[in-house]
Amino acid sequence: MAAYFDDEDLAHFGELEKHHPELWALWSKYYGKAFEEGLLTKREKILIGFAVALCEKCPYCIHSYTAQAQSIGLTMEHLAEAGHATASLRAGITMAHALVAHNIDKKTGM
Amino acid sequence: MTMTLPTLASRRLPLAMASEQRATLRRLPLAREFDQRLADAGLAPMRPTRIEVMQVNVGRVCNQTCRHCHVDAGPDRREVMSRDTMQLCLDALAKSDIGTVDVTGGAPEMNPHFRWFVREVRALGRHVMDRCNLTILETPSHRDLPAFFAEHNVEVVCSLPHYLGARTDRQRGDGVYETSIRALKRLNALGYGSGVAGRRLVLVANPVGAFTISDQGLMEAEFRKALGERHGVVFDQLYCLTNMPISRYLEWLVESKNLAPYMEALANAFNPAAAAGAMCRNTVSVGWDGALYDCDFNQMLDMPVAQGAPRHVRDFDLAALTARAIETDRHCFGCTAGEGSSCGGATA
């Protein structure tokens, strides 16, 4: 069995369109618009994309947003900072979820 | 520790030969040839618009041996333009209305006749740009060059691949970043980089790796902020260049197995607007021996101007050169990808 993720996949990502062109077009337009420069800069949006890609563990997106980051002069030093910010927030979220246990214990414990 | 390799020429590698470099590029599978893309864009054959710049490569000697150098320049190179050939360039300028002389190398300042040539070009009333690697300004025999530049209103176009030291040193050699910053501060102290006429300071960034820069404006803002905050360094403009898949950068692409995807990416990013603004359309390039080329890259690939056009600066004829067809090959995809790349930065 071939690997599920292949670095050649992104080149034919667009083939998914044929299964539902209407929804594909809507998503495509939304994605394009959301990543246009607005109040947030192109740099900020690329770093958001990179952080989400890490969080969602999507190799395609990590590849794509690393390449985009390189193309605006960002380096692994920048991406490492973004990675640590992402990772620390994830750790914080994990701890924050411990509040659920804390609350249950507070309510049901003696 | 960042090590840069000696020149291809000194290592006597096949890739030191221009013919082998072109053959290496030709062996790659590409969907469409450069000339086909030009034809699709209605630009074939490529011809000059108006020749406004004479780029003079005064030699291949350099105090650095950068990993991406398209000239294969270095301390061991011996090709140096003679004063007689420089005089031929001056004669050609005198009988033309070319407004700018772009002096390049190697480290052009290492040519023993550099200062004489700059003075003579300025005496003709032409603008001079010096393509400077910055570290040369910190060597004992060249420390007074910033003052010389200021005295003659020379525009200084400096290489600085990145505003982070490690990146710069990885490409250009250990300690280059720190030395470059010292040189930039001395240029700043003379008024360079502050928007003052006659003190124009341009930085040239190029990717440290197998990718291209997509947004010159954004990069300039990043450089301005980082260099200002970290070092108090100012500059007038940033040019972003694409690394050309020739010479030592080609060697690195081959060894790192990045050549095929890099060339494919350049070819796929062909931009007709960038091609229309390519520097070969307003520039003529002179080699250290006086031979004429469409650009410095063609010069390094031993691709002289087309048959029928004057091929040596002693025969310089502006009208005939303006009418010539420009020689192209696969490396030209480097100038036409995305925003485009030229000695003046993006072209689209």
Side-chain angles (χ1 to χ4, degrees):
Chain A
M1 179 67 187
Y4 284 108
F5 293 114
D6 188 316
D7 60 5
E8 302 287 324
D9 283 345
L10 263 188
H12 53 87
F13 178 41
E15 289 174 13
L16 289 172
E17 179 185 11
K18 65 184 175 195
H19 304 299
H20 204 308
E22 187 192 353
L23 288 178
W24 178 271
L26 285 168
W27 168 77
S28 207
K29 193 172 176 187
Y30 176 50
Y31 180 71
K33 199 75 189 164
F35 271 88
E36 274 178 13
E37 201 156 28
L39 290 175
L40 299 188
T41 64
K42 180 174 173 178
R43 182 188 201 268
E44 288 163 344
K45 291 197 174 178
I46 287 174
L47 288 171
I48 288 171
F50 179 71
V52 173
L54 288 184
C55 258
E56 294 295 321
K57 305 182 189 72
C58 172
Y60 304 127
C61 300
I62 293 170
H63 186 156
S64 169
Y65 281 90
T66 300
Q68 290 184 59
Q70 286 177 323
S71 83
I72 59 164
L74 300 183
T75 66
M76 263 317 294
E77 288 89 329
H78 295 93
L79 296 186
E81 273 191 35
H84 282 295
T86 308
S88 67
L89 180 58
R90 281 185 70 97
I93 289 168
T94 303
M95 284 313 296
H97 278 72
L99 270 177
V100 177
H102 172 77
N103 290 342
I104 290 170
D105 182 65
K106 219 164 54 173
K107 187 175 173 186
T108 59
M110 188 177 281
Chain B
M1 185 75 170
T2 305
M3 294 296 292
T4 53
L5 292 168
T7 60
L8 293 170
S10 71
R11 285 180 281 146
R12 302 184 186 287
L13 294 179
L15 262 191
M17 291 185 299
S19 56
E20 181 56 26
Q21 293 176 36
R22 292 181 69 187
T24 301
L25 295 183
R26 292 225 141 265
R27 282 193 287 269
L28 297 169
L30 283 183
R32 288 179 80 67
E33 289 299 329
F34 185 76
D35 285 346
Q36 292 173 315
R37 301 304 300 257
L38 276 186
D40 295 345
L43 290 167
M46 186 91 106
R47 290 190 191 279
T49 44
R50 178 165 181 263
I51 298 175
E52 298 164 313
V53 180
M54 177 187 280
Q55 187 171 60
V56 185
N57 192 314
V58 297
R60 300 183 185 181
V61 185
C62 190
N63 58 322
Q64 294 182 186
T65 323
C66 303
R67 290 175 79 179
H68 71 299
C69 182
H70 73 274
V71 178
D72 195 25
D76 57 286
R77 299 302 300 253
R78 294 292 172 262
E79 300 89 339
V80 174
M81 184 177 274
S82 68
R83 187 159 158 157
D84 287 346
T85 304
M86 286 178 169
Q87 184 59 57
L88 293 174
C89 294
L90 295 167
D91 296 343
L93 283 168
K95 62 181 183 182
S96 81
D97 62 351
I98 292 176
T100 298
V101 177
D102 180 341
V103 189
T104 189
E109 306 87 350
M110 291 177 80
N111 182 306
H113 314 295
F114 171 79
R115 296 183 198 218
W116 170 80
F117 185 57
V118 169
R119 281 193 205 97
E120 293 298 311
V121 175
R122 291 294 296 138
L124 288 172
R126 312 303 164 91
H127 179 62
V128 175
M129 296 162 69
D130 175 53
R131 293 203 177 262
C132 180
N133 69 17
L134 286 172
T135 62
I136 193 70
L137 305 182
E138 294 296 298
T139 58
S141 51
H142 298 91
R143 276 191 64 81
D144 59 332
L145 268 174
F148 172 82
F149 291 149
E151 183 188 347
H152 297 283
N153 293 335
V154 173
E155 177 179 347
V156 186
V157 183
C158 308
S159 306
L160 192 70
H162 206 276
Y163 54 80
L164 293 181
R167 291 277 148 173
T168 295
D169 286 2
R170 203 176 296 171
Q171 184 177 83
R172 302 178 75 79
D174 257 353
V176 165
Y177 180 78
E178 203 182 307
T179 310
S180 300
I181 294 295
R182 281 204 304 274
L184 282 171
K185 284 182 176 176
R186 288 207 296 126
L187 286 164
N188 281 171
L190 289 167
Y192 270 96
S194 306
V196 179
R199 300 284 187 278
R200 187 168 154 80
L201 177 64
V202 175
L203 299 185
V204 178
N206 59 290
V208 184
F211 49 88
T212 58
I213 298 299
S214 66
D215 191 327
Q216 182 169 281
L218 203 155
M219 275 287 271
E220 182 175 302
E222 292 264 315
F223 264 69
R224 210 174 281 291
K225 183 170 181 287
L227 291 177
E229 287 176 358
R230 287 161 187 248
H231 305 291
V233 163
V234 294
F235 59 94
D236 292 303
Q237 200 177 348
L238 178 84
Y239 295 157
C240 290
L241 266 59
T242 296
N243 290 322
M244 275 290 147
I246 61 178
S247 199
R248 288 212 291 269
Y249 184 64
L250 176 59
E251 179 192 33
W252 178 79
L253 286 172
V254 171
E255 286 183 351
S256 63
K257 298 186 170 38
N258 277 302
L259 178 60
Y262 184 70
M263 280 305 292
E264 193 183 338
L266 291 184
N268 289 342
F270 178 85
N271 178 357
M279 66 177 174
C280 52
R281 305 192 76 190
N282 76 343
T283 301
V284 65
S285 159
V286 189
W288 67 274
D289 55 357
L292 296 177
Y293 302 87
D294 298 305
C295 68
D296 206 50
F297 306 117
N298 281 9
Q299 183 179 143
M300 299 313 148
L301 289 174
D302 290 341
M303 294 169 59
V305 290
Q307 198 83 39
R311 285 188 148 181
H312 195 278
V313 69
R314 81 170 75 83
D315 306 315
F316 196 87
D317 177 334
L318 191 65
L321 285 164
T322 305
R324 79 192 192 276
I326 292 163
E327 296 291 302
T328 58
D329 203 346
R330 287 181 159 190
H331 65 286
C332 299
F333 278 121
C335 284
T336 58
E339 285 192 339
S341 175
S342 75
C343 289
T347 58

